Amino acid sequence: MSEELDGVLADPARLLTADRTAVRDHITAANGPERVGREVFLQAEVIFGGADVASAEFAYWLHFAAKATGHEEYAERIATAEPGMPWRTVWAWWRPANWFMAHPSLNGDYYQVHRRLYEGRELVEVVDPRGPLWLDAETGRRVKVRDEGALAEAPLSLEALDAPELYDWSLTTPKSWEGAVVFAVEGGRTRYLVEDTYGIAVLETDAEVLRDWPRGEGIDPTSSEEPPPCPEPVQRRPTGPLSAARVDDAFGERHVVRITESALPEELEHPGSRRHLRDIGLPAW
């Protein structure tokens, strides 16, 4: 039975129709190595909850979790196994549960999110006390901007203004999905930008898939508000030596102080301390 459930977790097509309680019990009992299917399943239930939903809805839970954790190949296999997902994740700049990293974090009320134009492409701009960072709206990849003062606000097309809101559909998602903003419509596909304390995601719906999807009840967030029924995902912390790039990423490059060799006091004789202050730096805060 254990080997069979390992096979279920490894195969999204089988996982979509599996007894989720049996899968949870297997994960709790197993002490084997961390595998992609196990991580995706646990993250999906942490984010979306343990509600008993249809295969098409469970598929978009898994698809989102796979994208958020960087398991692109697994995400593609989910999409192939269930083409009837009411929405799919284009990309997710997201902090998975138990992943300890500087970005992303949209906690509190001190951040701003904008859509900008830069060199002919659209960016998602996130500004917080560390300063701005930019994500390509098509891929979610970080982008370096040479002149941030030249960025214009990205306009909305008429098609986007007339597109249905995501909250019109009966879906089981976290509450933040209710505020999803339509920003692009192309070829029958509508893209939405979701903001959450855990980050940002771009979702896409297909008009053909949604043609017969129920409407009227709207988004139901109750499943995601309950404690997850699964064991916790494995903790992941950054590894390797502390570097200038990691300090810049955590605190914002403009808020890091580095002291030139000539400005360091002669009385500071410890080579490692001199190297840290000169090359790695300290947060100005």
Side-chain angles (χ1 to χ4, degrees):
M1 185 64 172
S2 177
E3 290 182 1
E4 180 182 349
L5 287 171
D6 279 340
V8 167
L9 286 165
D11 183 356
R14 296 173 64 191
L15 183 55
L16 288 175
T17 59
D19 180 336
R20 283 164 57 194
T21 300
V23 173
R24 290 183 204 121
D25 292 345
H26 168 67
I27 291 173
T28 302
N31 293 313
E34 181 73 0
R35 292 188 172 93
V36 172
R38 179 184 189 276
E39 180 167 70
V40 170
F41 182 89
L42 292 181
Q43 291 289 347
E45 293 214 328
V46 166
I47 296 167
F48 295 94
D52 184 14
V53 293
S55 173
E57 290 210 73
F58 187 48
Y60 70 65
W61 292 11
L62 293 171
H63 191 261
F64 183 90
K67 287 280 190 173
T69 53
H71 297 304
E72 295 288 337
E73 190 268 342
Y74 198 88
E76 288 303 315
R77 291 169 62 200
I78 294 165
T80 300
E82 181 47 88
M85 288 189 292
W87 59 264
R88 58 183 287 274
T89 307
V90 181
W91 56 264
W93 183 70
W94 203 262
R95 183 198 297 271
N98 280 354
W99 288 34
F100 297 87
M101 52 194 184
H103 291 293
S105 176
L106 302 185
N107 283 307
D109 56 2
Y110 51 80
Y111 70 89
Q112 295 178 321
V113 178
H114 304 279
R115 293 171 39 258
R116 303 291 194 191
L117 291 177
Y118 178 66
E119 296 184 346
R121 60 176 163 169
E122 186 170 332
L123 306 181
V124 177
E125 178 186 76
V126 183
V127 183
D128 69 9
R130 290 170 288 199
L133 61 80
W134 298 274
L135 309 169
D136 187 294
E138 290 289 326
T139 65
R141 296 190 183 96
R142 293 271 288 266
V143 174
K144 284 283 189 181
V145 170
R146 289 189 294 273
D147 181 10
E148 60 189 83
L151 298 180
E153 195 78 22
L156 279 177
S157 66
L158 291 176
E159 292 84 0
L161 291 171
D162 292 337
E165 302 289 349
L166 194 66
Y167 61 70
D168 288 344
W169 311 100
S170 296
L171 301 167
T172 306
T173 71
K175 189 173 181 60
S176 54
W177 266 243
E178 292 178 347
V181 176
V182 179
F183 73 93
V185 178
E186 185 176 352
R189 294 181 179 270
T190 303
R191 288 195 171 188
Y192 303 81
L193 180 65
V194 170
E195 295 177 34
D196 193 282
T197 55
Y198 299 100
I200 290 171
V202 170
L203 316 177
E204 184 177 81
T205 61
D206 186 323
E208 286 299 317
V209 174
L210 286 174
R211 186 177 303 277
D212 299 318
W213 195 267
R215 304 178 71 160
E217 294 298 321
I219 285 174
D220 179 3
T222 53
S223 176
S224 65
E225 294 168 354
E226 298 171 356
C230 264
E232 288 189 4
V234 170
Q235 292 189 0
R236 292 181 178 269
R237 298 181 181 274
T239 57
L242 185 62
S243 65
R246 287 176 60 187
V247 173
D248 286 347
D249 193 55
F251 299 99
E253 188 175 352
R254 65 186 68 185
H255 299 299
V256 175
V257 174
R258 295 183 178 93
I259 304 174
T260 63
E261 182 66 32
S262 61
L264 288 169
E266 293 182 4
E267 292 81 3
L268 180 60
E269 298 179 351
H270 185 258
S273 298
R274 296 182 71 89
R275 185 169 56 252
H276 189 106
L277 292 170
R278 182 190 65 228
D279 300 335
I280 296 174
L282 296 172
W285 300 338

